[in-house]
Amino acid sequence: MTIAPVDDLEILRCPHCGGALEAVAGGARCSAGHHHDRAKQGYLGLRVAARGLGAPAAGDTADMVDARERFQGAGHHDSVAAAVRDAAVAALAGSGVRDDGWVVDLAGGPGWHLGHVLDALPGMRGLVLDASTIAVRRAQRSHPRAVAATADLRARIPIADGAAALVLKVFAPGPAAEIERVLTPGGVLVAAIPEPEHHRELVQPLKLLKVPAGKAAELVASLPGLQELARTTVRETVRVDRAGALDAVFMGPNAFHQKREQVETALAALPEPLDVTVAVTVVTLRQPG
Ligand SMILES: C[S@@+](CC[C@H](N)C(=O)[O-])C[C@H]1O[C@@H](n2cnc3c(N)ncnc32)[C@H](O)[C@@H]1O
Ligand SMILES: [Zn+2]
């Protein structure tokens, strides 16, 4: 079976003015004349500065994306991917939302979670939005039904009103502003949020960034227009070797605060392999139909 190319201009909107985009030489343009370049790898560059916040966010570096892909590829977060996928499939079944709509993965990184969801929802198309050029490059070729674009999600989410049947927000930083605008009636948000004990065997000895309690409840409270359908917490331990532990540290925001040599030295004092807690809450919310 040949798969028709996914047309990203159907869903994407100008990050400056929200206008529809048409294809032009080298990229896309809105009716107000804002031009956005298309990279040779096929994705559109829609990353613009959020008002009052200075330069656009750069997102994860190549080293961080490599670490994330190795850690995910090793299976350490398979239970989280399965929980996100199952929550999405369960919520969409019987929701009345078209089963050939868009799944939008906010701050989706290289698109690993989106790929699991698309495999389970064979009629749907996926879009990863992320600030990181390198993550978006990988996401663009991550799945036959996925496309990607760079975006600073502290600004406007550069997609059309009501265009998303399903929004994913998995370990994604930042506020949930705009999610209600982009969800179609009956559409579903699945968010995955770490709990304070997530990766605690690394967080405590290596003095990593702590996850505050109550983040899932905070997200739900920030979306008063959506109805909560389900909430579940994945809890397990995974066994990681030293290289896996290093990836767990350097695939996330700790990469901006930690020195690799110091983390390596601290890890050498810990047992190998190390049993590491995974504790992630998956919340499902629905836009009223
Ligand atoms: C912890 S990673 C999660 C990636 C993916 N959801 C996953 O779970 O594999 C956070 C992601 O947020 C992106 N990011 C950080 N700040 C952002 C911003 N202001 N706008 C869009 N993406 C951002 C990073 O580039 C990175 O890919
Ligand atoms: Zn515009």
Side-chain angles (χ1 to χ4, degrees):
M1 190 180 75
T2 48
I3 297 162
V6 181
D7 177 9
D8 58 0
L9 295 187
E10 174 191 316
I11 184 169
L12 291 173
R13 291 292 178 268
C14 177
H16 294 294
C17 68
L21 297 169
E22 63 166 353
V24 293
R29 195 175 51 205
C30 70
S31 59
H34 300 123
H35 177 94
H36 306 286
D37 288 336
R38 196 178 278 285
K40 67 175 189 297
Q41 293 87 358
Y43 63 87
L44 269 186
L46 299 180
R47 189 176 52 197
V48 298
R51 195 162 292 159
L53 290 177
D60 287 2
T61 62
D63 284 347
M64 291 166 75
V65 177
D66 285 344
R68 176 165 299 279
E69 291 197 308
R70 279 193 302 266
F71 193 81
Q72 291 174 332
H76 301 315
H77 276 177
D78 279 1
S79 56
V80 180
V84 167
R85 177 201 63 206
D86 293 351
V89 170
L92 284 174
S95 68
V97 170
R98 288 171 52 162
D99 61 5
D100 60 352
W102 283 93
V103 185
V104 178
D105 192 359
L106 299 177
W112 187 73
H113 286 283
L114 177 67
H116 284 78
V117 168
L118 289 177
D119 282 343
L121 296 167
M124 299 189 83
R125 294 156 291 165
L127 168 70
V128 168
L129 296 171
D130 198 284
S132 162
T133 304
I134 187 81
V136 163
R137 229 180 257 168
R138 309 251 176 111
Q140 175 75 14
R141 52 168 205 254
S142 63
H143 193 279
R145 281 176 280 121
V147 287
T150 59
D152 184 345
L153 296 171
R154 298 171 307 168
R156 185 194 297 266
I157 301 180
I159 68 172
D161 295 358
L166 172 65
V167 170
L168 306 177
K169 188 179 189 317
V170 180
F171 297 112
E178 285 240 288
I179 289 177
E180 293 177 22
R181 176 183 70 77
V182 303
L183 273 178
T184 193
V188 169
L189 166 67
V190 177
I193 303 131
E195 292 296 327
E197 64 271 33
H198 185 61
H199 290 186
R200 71 165 169 233
E201 296 79 1
L202 297 168
V203 171
Q204 284 160 3
L206 303 177
K207 298 187 178 58
L208 305 182
L209 296 169
K210 291 198 173 72
V211 180
K215 295 281 284 180
E218 207 177 280
L219 175 77
V220 172
S222 74
L223 293 162
L226 304 187
Q227 302 161 338
E228 185 170 344
L229 293 182
R231 195 186 299 202
T232 176
T233 301
V234 173
R235 281 181 210 281
E236 65 172 8
T237 52
V238 292
R239 187 153 286 189
V240 298
D241 60 13
R242 228 156 252 161
L246 260 184
D247 285 340
V249 176
F250 286 97
M251 70 181 187
N254 286 294
F256 298 119
H257 305 282
Q258 296 286 332
K259 293 217 161 41
R260 195 171 183 92
E261 305 72 54
Q262 281 174 8
V263 171
E264 277 172 347
T265 307
L267 273 177
L270 298 180
E272 185 186 34
L274 187 65
D275 286 337
V276 173
T277 301
V278 171
V280 179
T281 293
V282 176
V283 191
T284 311
L285 299 121
R286 180 174 169 276
Q287 176 97 301

